[in-house]
Amino acid sequence: MQADKIIEVRNIKKICSEKLILDINQFAVFKNKFNFIIGGNGSGKTSLLNILSLIDQDYQGELYYRGQKINRDEQNLKLRRKFSVIWQDPYLYRGSVFYNIALPLKLRDINQNIIVRKVKAMASRLEIENLLEQSAHTLSGGEKQKTSIARALITDPEILFVDEATTNLDEESIRFFNSHFADLVTEEMTVVMVSHDRRQIKELADQITLLKAGEIELTQKIDNFKFENFGAGIAVPVAELV
């Protein structure tokens, strides 16, 4: 089982303004799987995602990548470039949709002809090829999220982190995301996904971790997960979780 773990957490504590946000003894992200993190509001889902993706390095405890301890004193740029994040509120830079999608490739000094080919192919898969020359700040919410997804996937990341990507989208955009997302992710990619969307969980999840008040309530394979007990022992209504 050890070989299946691409990221491991050991004795992680996250404290913010003297409040304990996370207190996790052990947690693992499984390679080439959809790893879902679920739980009520304030349960620590996004805080855990930020630590796993190396965005937040202000925590106690240890993080391991492929069995090797990550040294937080180092910049870890090479490792971070293996990761991509899709945020709930997509942040787009000034400039065109093409510029936003192409930026990660430019930062890696990829040949311009390759960049053009890859950006057009990715935009076509997300049905935004007609928007490539449009200013990113004129897009609708769904178009912005598609651009954000394209930018996250353009480098073929080893691990893709997704933080409630459909929360602020309209129903049509949510349907597109749920029906197309699995096809956009390659078999070699590992996904860590925070979500409230029961449909996403049922359609995509391999592994589910339920957080409560910063601690792991349970971790199960989707085959063993009982949705009727989804809110058991959790103070917030089930509707807020799913």
Side-chain angles (χ1 to χ4, degrees), residues 7-239:
I7 294 181
E8 290 182 81
V9 161
R10 299 180 189 172
N11 302 314
I12 288 290
K13 291 183 186 291
K14 172 67 180 180
I15 299 172
C16 185
S17 300
E18 300 184 354
K19 180 181 179 182
L20 184 62
I21 306 298
L22 288 174
D23 188 3
I24 298 175
N25 292 328
Q26 285 188 314
F27 171 78
V29 172
F30 291 90
K31 184 171 60 175
N32 306 139
K33 302 293 185 183
F34 274 85
N35 301 263
F36 270 69
I37 302 172
I38 63 177
N41 294 331
S43 61
K45 304 183 301 295
T46 297
S47 296
L48 178 56
L49 191 84
N50 288 341
I51 290 173
L52 295 172
S53 60
L54 306 185
I55 291 170
D56 182 3
Q57 301 197 57
D58 182 18
Y59 59 87
Q60 301 171 23
E62 299 174 344
L63 198 63
Y64 291 80
Y65 168 77
R66 293 185 177 273
Q68 299 295 314
K69 184 179 176 181
I70 296 174
N71 189 343
R72 280 177 285 159
D73 295 330
E74 299 175 358
Q75 191 175 11
N76 289 314
L77 178 60
K78 185 177 180 180
L79 180 55
R80 289 185 66 177
R81 283 190 168 180
K82 296 181 179 182
F83 302 167
S84 285
V85 183
I86 300 172
W87 300 107
Q88 177 179 334
D89 297 310
Y91 178 84
L92 300 180
Y93 298 98
R94 290 180 181 272
S96 66
V97 170
F98 182 96
Y99 172 81
N100 272 271
I101 299 173
L103 186 58
L105 298 177
K106 291 179 179 292
L107 294 174
R108 290 163 172 78
D109 295 322
I110 303 298
N111 178 274
Q112 182 63 24
N113 291 332
I114 296 175
I115 290 177
V116 171
R117 184 172 71 249
K118 288 181 69 96
V119 170
K120 286 185 176 180
M122 183 61 70
S124 177
R125 293 176 68 189
L126 282 157
E127 301 179 6
I128 54 172
E129 193 172 12
N130 62 314
L131 302 175
L132 286 175
E133 300 308 316
Q134 188 168 323
S135 170
H137 291 284
T138 65
L139 302 177
S140 68
E143 290 167 345
K144 286 180 179 179
Q145 193 59 285
K146 286 182 180 181
T147 301
S148 174
I149 293 169
R151 183 175 62 196
L153 293 174
I154 198 71
T155 57
D156 297 315
E158 185 174 24
I159 307 179
L160 177 66
F161 297 90
V162 186
D163 187 12
E164 302 194 67
T166 60
T167 297
N168 297 323
L169 299 185
D170 56 63
E171 185 61 29
E172 181 180 353
S173 298
I174 292 173
R175 284 198 301 269
F176 179 92
F177 184 96
N178 288 346
S179 61
H180 288 75
F181 190 68
D183 296 331
L184 293 168
V185 175
T186 66
E187 292 183 0
E188 294 77 26
M189 199 178 298
T190 298
V191 180
V192 182
M193 200 163 183
V194 169
S195 178
H196 283 95
D197 191 328
R198 185 191 291 262
R199 290 170 296 182
Q200 285 176 8
I201 297 168
K202 286 185 173 181
E203 292 174 14
L204 299 175
D206 295 304
Q207 191 86 8
I208 297 179
T209 296
L210 175 62
L211 289 184
K212 178 185 177 183
E215 298 182 4
I216 293 179
E217 184 85 350
L218 60 86
T219 296
Q220 292 182 345
K221 292 183 179 180
I222 184 64
D223 296 342
N224 302 323
F225 192 78
K226 293 180 172 56
F227 279 89
E228 61 269 25
N229 297 328
F230 197 102
I234 299 174
V236 299
V238 174

